[in-house]
Amino acid sequence: MTVAEIWNCWSVGEVVFGAHPGQKPPIRLVEQHFKAKWRPSNMARKFWQRFREISEWIEEQVSTNSKSPEACLQELEALRVANSTRSSVEKQIIMIPLGVNALAQLPEKQRKDAAKSR
């Protein structure tokens, strides 16, 4: 899942294709309505924690720094690339961008560092 896909699921809702096409509600609204009831398993809670860090970071940047969501998405994608890992595949060095789970740790660290400095 890309950062843009996470933001779209959070703010707009996920598009569903197939036999019953449509659009799921934005996860932001599902969370407001059901709170933790909609994610009862440990795996769902852990995924939500990572998902939430990215979505809330974008919302915070939009509200406090007057950035557009698109600018925030570009910034997060730049962080993914800047924190890439090197890998060797068939004697070629390639850069592997951070996955979403690892990327979610960056806004989390920023949030915790900001809380400590207060």
Side-chain angles (χ1 to χ4, degrees), residues 56-69 71-72 75 110 114:
E56 288 183 357
W57 182 85
I58 293 170
E59 284 188 333
E60 180 183 340
Q61 294 297 308
V62 168
S63 67
T64 60
N65 297 329
S66 300
K67 292 182 179 179
S68 70
C72 296
E75 187 175 335
Q110 286 179 349

Side-chain angles (χ1 to χ4, degrees), residues 14-24:
E14 184 179 18
V15 176
V16 178
F17 299 102
H20 304 286
Q23 187 159 349
K24 295 179 183 177

Side-chain angles (χ1 to χ4, degrees), residues 1-18:
M1 190 171 230
T2 67
V3 176
E5 289 171 335
I6 288 174
W7 178 248
N8 283 337
C9 285
W10 172 260
S11 61
V12 179
E14 184 179 18
V15 176
V16 178
F17 299 102

Side-chain angles (χ1 to χ4, degrees), residues 19-105:
H20 304 286
Q23 187 159 349
K24 295 179 183 177
I27 293 179
R28 173 181 45 80
L29 296 179
V30 173
E31 178 67 13
Q32 285 175 355
H33 183 75
F34 293 105
K35 306 286 185 222
K37 293 176 187 173
W38 70 278
R39 46 186 164 84
S41 72
N42 285 337
M43 192 167 105
R45 281 193 297 272
K46 190 64 176 173
F47 177 78
W48 172 248
Q49 178 183 356
R50 293 174 181 144
F51 189 97
R52 180 186 54 82
E53 286 293 343
I54 292 172
S55 303
E56 288 183 357
W57 182 85
I58 293 170
E59 284 188 333
E60 180 183 340
Q61 294 297 308
V62 168
S63 67
T64 60
N65 297 329
S66 300
K67 292 182 179 179
S68 70
E70 293 77 19
C72 296
L73 292 171
Q74 289 175 353
E75 187 175 335
L76 284 173
E77 285 298 338
L79 281 172
R80 282 181 85 170
V81 172
N83 290 283
S84 298
T85 57
R86 293 172 59 111
S87 182
S88 177
V89 176
E90 297 181 12
K91 299 182 182 180
Q92 291 183 341
I93 302 296
I94 60 170
M95 299 302 286
I96 301 173
L98 287 179
V100 172
N101 292 341
L103 180 64
Q105 293 173 3

